Amino acid sequence: MTTIIQARSFTIDLPEAGHARPVINGITLDVVAGSCLGIVGESGSGKSLFSRALLGSFPEDAEVSGTLRLGAVELTSAAPETVRALRQNDVGMIYQDPRASINPVHRIEDFLIEGVVQAGMLSRSEARERAIALLRRMRLQEPEAVMRRYPDELSGGMLQRVMIAGALIAEPSVLLCDEATTALDVTTQAEIVALLNELRVELGVTLIFVTHDLELAGELCDTLCVLYAGEVMELGPTAEVLSSPRHPYTAALLESTPRLTGDATRALPSIPGVVLPLSSAAPGCVFADRCRFVTEQCTSGRIDLVTVAPGRRSRCVFDHLPEEQR
Amino acid sequence: MIPADTRLLRVPRRVGDRSTRRVGFVLACGVVALAVVMAIGAPLLAPFDPLAVNLRLINAAPGTDGHLLGTDASGRDILSRLMHGAQTSLLGPLIAVLVASGLGIALGALAAWQGGWTDQVISRVIEFLFSFPGLLAAVFTVALFGPGFLAPAIGIAIAYAPAIARLTRTVILQERDKLYVKAELALGFRGIRVLTRSVMPNALPIVLSLSVLSFGYALIDLAALSYLGLGVQAPQPDWGVMLNESTSSMLQGAWWVMAAPAIVIILVVVSVNIIGEALLARRQEVLR
Amino acid sequence: MSGIEVRELRKTFGHRGEVVALDGVSFSVEQGGALGLIGESGSGKSTTARILLGLERPTSGEVLRDGVPYEPWRASGRQRLERARSIQIVFQDPYLSLNPRLRIVDAVRSAAELHGLTRADAERRARELLDEVGLGIRESQSTPRALSGGQRQRAAIARALAVRPRFLILDEAVAALDVSVQAQILNLLNELRRAEGVGFLFITHNLAVVRYVTDEAVVLHRGCVVELGPTERVLSAPEHPYTRDLLAAVPGSITREES
C-alpha cells in the first residue's frame, strides 16, 4: 500500500481578504494509491478549495502552511513547471458542468488528443487510438463518430463521459471529480458513478470524489472525509461513517437527508442556523453554534482530531472524554 | 472612432496595482472637473478677450506680457481661447452622447424586450448604420444643415447610436432571461414596469460606461470636424478650430500654438476614458 | 372540482413541431393539495410549469381552474393579476430569482401592493410573511447579495406568497441548497401549506424529497405521464419500469435495501 496523497496540518489562510480564520484549517489525511476518498461538505466547507489545492492551485494572496504531497511533489512549494507537468501527466480532473469546461468550437477529437500531442507524449495516431478506446470504455456508442462531433451535439451525460475520457487520456494516477455528477440526471448520475467504480478497479486510478452528497459518496468511496467550515470533522471507512457516525455534524447531515424509506409525515430533522461566517473565529468547535449536543467545553478551546477507533478519527469534545463519561 | 460593443463587455485589462489605479482615477476626475470649471467660468476667469486680435504680438511664446500660454497667429491669448473654447468643445460631445444614448437605449431596449419582427427591423437598421463611418454621417448632416455647432453633434449622435443600441440590446437580452424577470412577470407586474424598473437599472450601468467612453471619441470626432472647417466656425475659439488655425504658426516654429489645444484634447479624452473604464471595471466587480 | 387540472397538454417546438416537449399530459391537483411532478431533464416538467404560469402556450390541450377552462397565457390587464393569484412560482436558483437591486422587504411589499393592498398594509403583510419564513429584520432590510442560498430561497417563497396565491409551483426549489438547509426549507413549506392553505406543485428529480412534501405524484418521461398516484404508493410499489429505474438510481437505495 503506497500513499499517493499525504496532507499534514494543511492550512490555507486568506488574511488579505479580512477573514478571521483559515478557509482550510489543518487537514491531515492519507490516500492510498488505487483507493477512493470522498470529500464531503456543504457550501463553505472548503472542499472545492482543497480539490483545487490538489491540482497545485491556491487562491491569490493565500498563506499556505503545513504540507500537501501528491506522489513525490510537495504542492505547497512546487515550481510552476512542476505543477504544470503534474496536471499534464499525473492528475486528471472533471468538474460539475461539462459544458462550461469545454471549448464549444473544437471537435471532441481535438479536445481529447490536442493536449497529449502538444506535449509530445503520443503521436497523433496513437492519441487517436487511445481516445477511441477510452470513449468505448465510457460506453459511448460509435466512438469514431463521437470524435467528429461538437460539444453542443452531445447530451450532458455523454459530454461528462467525454470529459472523463479527456481526464484519463494521459493515464494519470489520480482522478479528481469535483461535484462531477451534480448537474446530471439521477439515472445518468448512477451510470457515471458505476463507470467511475469500474475505472478504479480496472485501471487502478486513485479517485478523489468531492461532493455535497453523503449518500452518493457512500456508493463509491472507501473512505469519507467530512469537512465543515474548513476543518475535518470526521474521517473513516465509508460504511462505518454512514452507519455509525461519530461526529454530531455527520449524524445531523445523515438525519436531514430525505430518504425513500421511513416516516415522511413527521418533520425532517434539520440543522438550525448557518455555517459560521469566515469573519468570525470562535474558539473551539466550528460547529458548536448549530450542534444539539453543545456543552461549555465545546467553545472553551481548540478541539483536535483524535483517533476514536482503528482508522476512524473525529473532532468532537465527546471523543476526548473517557468512555464512562459519555 | 467608437469601438465595437463586444470589446467593451470584457473587463479592461488592469494596469498597475489598486493604489495607482485609484490615483489615476482621482487625477482623471480632477482633469475633467477642471475642464468643466474652465468652460463654465470662462467669462469670469479668462485673463483676456478670446477674440481680441493683437497684431503686434503674434505667436508670442508662453509667458510674454502676461500671456501664460502665449498667443496665436493673430495675437489672441491662447489660454483665454482654450477656456472659452471649452464651452463648445465639451458641450458638443455632451449633446452628441446624450442624444446617442437616448436614441440607442430606447431602440436597443425596444428590440430586446419586444423581440419578434420589432427586433428584426431594429436590428437591420442598426446593422445598416453600423456599416457607416461616423465622420461620414456627420459630414452628411453638415451638408444637409450647414456647418456650425449643432449639425455635426447630431450627426455624430446618429453615428454613435447603433453601438449603444446594440450593446443595450445585448445586455437587456441577457437580463431578460434571468429568473427574477420571469418571477416578477409571474407576480403580475406589467411588462413595461419590469423593463423600466427592474431590467434597465440592472442592465444599463454597463451601457452608461460605454456612453462615457463615447464622450471622448465624440470630442475627437467633433474637433476633427472643426479642424476641417465643418464644425464650429472661426473665429469662435473651439479646440478643433484652434488646431486648424495653428498650422500657420507651426510653420513659423511657434509649436506651442498647436501644442496647447492638442494637449488639452488628449488630456480630457484620456481622463474620460479612465473614468469610463473605471466605472466599467467596478460594474464587472459587482457582477462577480 | 376546485383546484387545477390539465387535460391532454401537448407542446411542440420547431418549425414543423418536430420537438415534442409534452405529449398529452393530464393530471389534477385539488385546492390545498400537494402534487409532485417527477422527471429528469427533457421530461416536460418545466414546460408544464411555464404553461401554468402563462409564460408559454400549449400547442393543444387545456387547463381548467375549478372545472372551468382557463388560459393563463392569454391573461392581460386585470386578468394578469388574477392569474398571478392563481399560481406562483419559486425557482431552483435563489441567486438569480431575486432582483439584485431590491431589498428583500421591498420585493415582498411591492408584490403585495400590486395586488391591491395599501402601502401600509403591504408593508405589514411583508413583515408578517418574512417573519413566517424565518427572516429577521436585518435580513429583510438587505439586498439578496448579503444573504445565503437558504435565506434567499426563503425570501423568494415570501415574495410568491405575498400575492396570496392558490397554488405555488416549486421548480426544483430545494435542489441547489445544502442538505441541512434543504431540510429547513422542506419543513417550512409544510408549515406554510397548513398556515396559508396554499397548494403545491412540486417539480423535482429527487424522489426522496417528494415524499416529505406531497400527497400525490406524477412521473413524467419524455413528455408523457408514465405513472400517477399517491406518492407513497408510487415510491414503494412502482408499476412502471421507468419509475423503478429512477428509484434504483437514487444514491444509497441499494445498500439500504440490503441492510
Side-chain angles (χ1 to χ4, degrees):
Chain A
M1 288 216 302
T2 46
T3 301
I4 189 155
I5 294 170
Q6 187 189 64
R8 291 287 175 271
S9 306
F10 175 68
T11 300
I12 299 181
D13 204 351
L14 286 166
E16 291 264 318
H19 295 161
R21 58 186 168 85
V23 282
I24 284 184
N25 200 353
I27 292 188
T28 295
L29 54 83
D30 295 280
V31 182
V32 173
S35 71
C36 174
L37 171 73
I39 296 179
V40 183
E42 302 187 290
S43 37
S45 64
K47 61 181 191 297
S48 298
L49 272 176
F50 185 63
S51 75
R52 252 171 273 152
L54 286 171
L55 281 172
S57 106
F58 302 97
E60 224 178 300
D61 301 328
E63 281 177 14
V64 179
S65 61
T67 62
L68 183 64
R69 295 177 75 85
L70 202 154
V73 179
E74 174 54 54
L75 290 164
T76 55
S77 57
E81 310 83 71
T82 319
V83 169
R84 216 171 302 134
L86 193 80
R87 286 187 203 171
Q88 198 137 50
N89 309 322
D90 303 317
V91 193
M93 173 107 187
I94 47 175
Y95 302 89
Q96 171 166 1
D97 186 358
R99 233 168 268 286
S101 42
I102 188 167
N103 188 339
V105 303
H106 293 313
R107 292 177 191 277
I108 299 303
E109 170 164 359
D110 300 324
F111 164 76
L112 288 176
I113 70 171
E114 216 52 58
V116 276
V117 172
Q118 292 284 320
M121 294 165 69
L122 292 175
S123 75
R124 191 160 279 276
S125 60
E126 284 168 337
R128 238 187 87 80
E129 224 165 273
R130 189 184 287 179
I132 289 173
L134 273 169
L135 289 180
R136 189 167 288 128
R137 163 162 240 139
M138 294 303 137
R139 307 254 165 72
L140 282 163
Q141 307 286 314
E142 298 178 56
E144 288 88 353
V146 173
M147 295 276 273
R148 289 191 296 273
R149 311 275 282 274
Y150 286 94
D152 284 351
E153 301 169 333
L154 303 181
S155 71
M158 287 169 85
L159 206 54
Q160 196 62 301
R161 288 162 203 255
V162 169
M163 300 307 287
I164 300 175
L168 292 174
I169 194 108
E171 301 187 325
S173 41
V174 177
L175 182 61
L176 251 165
C177 311
D178 190 354
E179 296 279 7
T181 62
T182 308
L184 304 175
D185 278 328
V186 250
T187 47
T188 319
Q189 168 173 286
E191 289 161 20
I192 298 282
V193 166
L195 205 55
L196 287 172
N197 224 345
E198 212 178 284
L199 289 173
R200 196 183 114 201
V201 175
E202 290 173 18
L203 303 181
V205 62
T206 309
L207 278 182
I208 307 293
F209 195 77
V210 180
T211 179
H212 67 283
D213 191 337
L214 259 176
E215 293 283 337
L216 182 64
E219 297 268 287
L220 186 62
C221 306
D222 313 307
T223 313
L224 287 186
C225 169
V226 182
L227 284 184
Y228 183 82
E231 296 184 11
V232 177
M233 296 284 109
E234 178 160 6
L235 185 71
T238 304
E240 292 177 34
V241 171
L242 291 184
S243 61
S244 54
R246 286 299 293 255
H247 196 281
Y249 174 63
T250 319
L253 210 52
L254 282 166
E255 281 172 7
S256 59
T257 306
R259 300 193 180 278
L260 283 172
T261 51
D263 184 8
T265 52
R266 66 184 171 87
L268 205 53
S270 64
I271 308 178
V274 290
V275 182
L276 196 65
L278 282 162
S279 54
S280 73
C285 179
V286 282
F287 185 60
D289 63 332
R290 301 177 76 184
C291 182
R292 69 191 146 112
F293 304 109
V294 67
T295 67
E296 261 168 46
Q297 293 110 294
C298 293
T299 48
S300 58
R302 188 172 165 75
I303 295 155
D304 288 322
L305 194 64
V306 291
T307 302
V308 291
R312 293 196 66 179
R313 278 181 284 163
S314 167
R315 189 194 295 276
C316 180
V317 163
F318 295 106
D319 297 321
H320 291 254
L321 295 176
E323 263 326 306
E324 63 272 17
Q325 283 181 34
R326 284 187 194 160
Chain B
M1 196 65 256
I2 200 160
D5 51 353
T6 43
R7 209 193 70 182
L8 273 148
L9 286 169
R10 274 189 271 135
V11 189
R13 195 152 42 89
R14 291 306 184 78
V15 187
D17 61 20
R18 213 169 286 161
S19 57
T20 46
R21 281 203 306 271
R22 176 130 200 98
V23 170
F25 181 72
V26 170
L27 278 179
C29 288
V31 168
V32 172
L34 193 68
V36 171
V37 168
M38 265 168 56
I40 295 169
L44 292 171
L45 299 173
F48 293 91
D49 177 350
L51 300 176
V53 173
N54 182 355
L55 292 177
R56 263 171 298 177
L57 200 65
I58 59 169
N59 294 334
T64 318
D65 281 354
H67 295 285
L68 269 179
L69 296 178
T71 62
D72 66 5
S74 307
R76 294 172 296 204
D77 180 53
I78 291 176
L79 178 62
S80 303
R81 285 180 69 73
L82 277 180
M83 294 175 88
H84 281 272
Q87 295 179 340
T88 53
S89 302
L90 296 180
L91 197 59
L94 185 67
I95 290 173
V97 164
L98 286 181
V99 173
S101 304
L103 212 62
I105 289 173
L107 281 176
L110 188 69
W113 193 256
Q114 287 293 331
W117 65 266
T118 317
D119 185 22
Q120 292 285 323
V121 170
I122 294 176
S123 294
R124 289 299 94 74
V125 171
I126 290 173
E127 267 164 42
F128 172 73
L129 286 175
F130 229 114
S131 57
F132 224 74
L135 271 179
L136 201 61
V139 171
F140 270 150
T141 29
V142 173
L144 237 65
F145 299 105
F149 168 69
L150 209 53
I154 298 298
I156 292 291
I158 292 170
Y160 283 14
I164 293 175
R166 200 155 85 166
L167 180 61
T168 306
R169 179 176 173 274
T170 310
V171 294
I172 290 195
L173 274 181
Q174 281 171 1
E175 201 71 20
R176 196 191 66 169
D177 278 341
K178 296 207 173 143
L179 287 178
Y180 79 86
V181 175
K182 292 206 172 79
E184 287 182 356
L185 289 173
L187 282 165
F189 286 107
R190 235 175 252 286
I192 186 76
R193 183 188 146 128
V194 178
L195 174 64
T196 54
R197 300 265 291 271
S198 298
V199 173
M200 287 178 50
N202 280 311
L204 286 190
I206 204 163
V207 177
L208 293 182
S209 45
L210 174 61
S211 298
V212 173
L213 289 174
S214 313
F215 181 92
Y217 299 109
L219 199 157
I220 293 180
D221 281 356
L222 286 173
L225 284 168
S226 294
Y227 177 81
L228 294 173
L230 297 171
V232 175
Q233 296 295 294
Q236 280 295 313
D238 181 85
W239 294 345
V241 173
M242 287 173 74
L243 272 184
N244 176 320
E245 291 166 347
S246 66
T247 37
S248 64
S249 307
M250 220 26 210
L251 294 174
Q252 291 159 38
W255 53 268
W256 55 88
V257 181
M258 183 175 274
I263 289 172
V264 169
I265 289 173
I266 291 169
L267 270 180
V268 171
V269 170
V270 167
S271 300
V272 166
N273 280 6
I274 289 175
I275 294 171
E277 301 229 319
L279 292 178
L280 189 61
R282 185 177 308 170
R283 175 67 188 161
Q284 302 276 25
E285 246 157 53
V286 169
L287 289 178
R288 224 175 298 128
Chain C
M1 78 168 241
S2 89
I4 293 222
E5 185 179 353
V6 302
R7 276 192 200 153
E8 288 298 316
L9 276 190
R10 258 184 77 80
K11 175 75 188 175
T12 56
F13 294 100
H15 288 298
R16 277 162 286 124
E18 59 270 29
V19 184
V20 180
L22 290 180
D23 198 3
V25 166
S26 307
F27 61 80
S28 64
V29 51
E30 279 196 45
Q31 185 58 48
L35 176 80
L37 278 180
I38 301 166
E40 299 188 290
S41 50
S43 63
K45 54 191 173 59
S46 296
T47 308
T48 311
R50 281 201 298 276
I51 289 173
L52 288 172
L53 281 169
L55 295 172
E56 220 160 290
R57 59 178 307 163
T59 311
S60 66
E62 57 180 355
V63 178
L64 294 103
R65 189 177 54 184
D66 301 336
V68 182
Y70 163 65
E71 297 182 319
W73 51 92
R74 276 241 173 93
S76 61
R78 254 241 199 79
Q79 292 169 331
R80 208 183 57 240
L81 296 180
E82 202 198 321
R83 181 201 68 206
R85 284 194 293 270
S86 300
I87 207 150
Q88 275 304 313
I89 186 158
V90 174
F91 293 104
Q92 168 173 4
D93 192 339
Y95 292 87
L96 293 177
S97 56
L98 294 165
N99 186 337
R101 296 173 66 89
L102 232 47
R103 294 187 311 160
I104 301 305
V105 63
D106 293 333
V108 180
R109 194 210 65 228
S110 64
E113 222 177 326
L114 177 73
H115 286 262
L117 292 192
T118 64
R119 199 185 163 94
D121 285 346
E123 185 88 31
R124 205 169 308 126
R125 171 87 174 132
R127 298 257 177 239
E128 261 171 42
L129 273 169
L130 288 167
D131 186 50
E132 209 175 338
V133 300
L135 290 178
I137 301 285
R138 203 171 50 85
E139 288 95 13
S140 315
Q141 299 286 349
S142 45
T143 55
R145 261 179 81 77
L147 303 183
S148 70
Q151 289 170 329
R152 286 179 211 206
Q153 205 58 303
R154 290 169 191 271
I157 292 169
R159 182 185 57 182
L161 292 178
V163 313
R164 294 190 186 279
R166 297 176 55 185
F167 284 95
L168 192 55
I169 299 178
L170 298 143
D171 189 356
E172 298 280 8
V174 297
L177 303 176
D178 281 331
V179 176
S180 63
V181 180
Q182 172 179 290
Q184 294 172 10
I185 300 290
L186 290 174
N187 293 337
L188 170 69
L189 287 171
N190 279 329
E191 280 162 34
L192 288 172
R193 191 176 151 205
R194 273 193 295 273
E196 304 271 327
V198 58
F200 289 160
L201 264 165
F202 200 92
I203 297 179
T204 184
H205 69 279
N206 188 326
L207 290 113
V209 161
V210 103
R211 291 181 66 225
Y212 291 83
V213 274
T214 68
D215 318 320
E216 296 200 47
V218 172
V219 181
L220 287 171
H221 183 49
R222 295 191 184 147
C224 294
V225 174
V226 297
E227 187 145 1
L228 185 155
T231 307
E232 278 305 321
R233 207 276 298 146
V234 170
L235 297 185
S236 59
E239 278 162 14
H240 197 277
Y242 177 70
T243 317
R244 274 182 231 136
D245 285 351
L246 273 180
L247 280 162
V250 174
S253 56
I254 300 163
T255 37
R256 234 191 331 278
E257 270 164 34
E258 284 167 0
S259 63

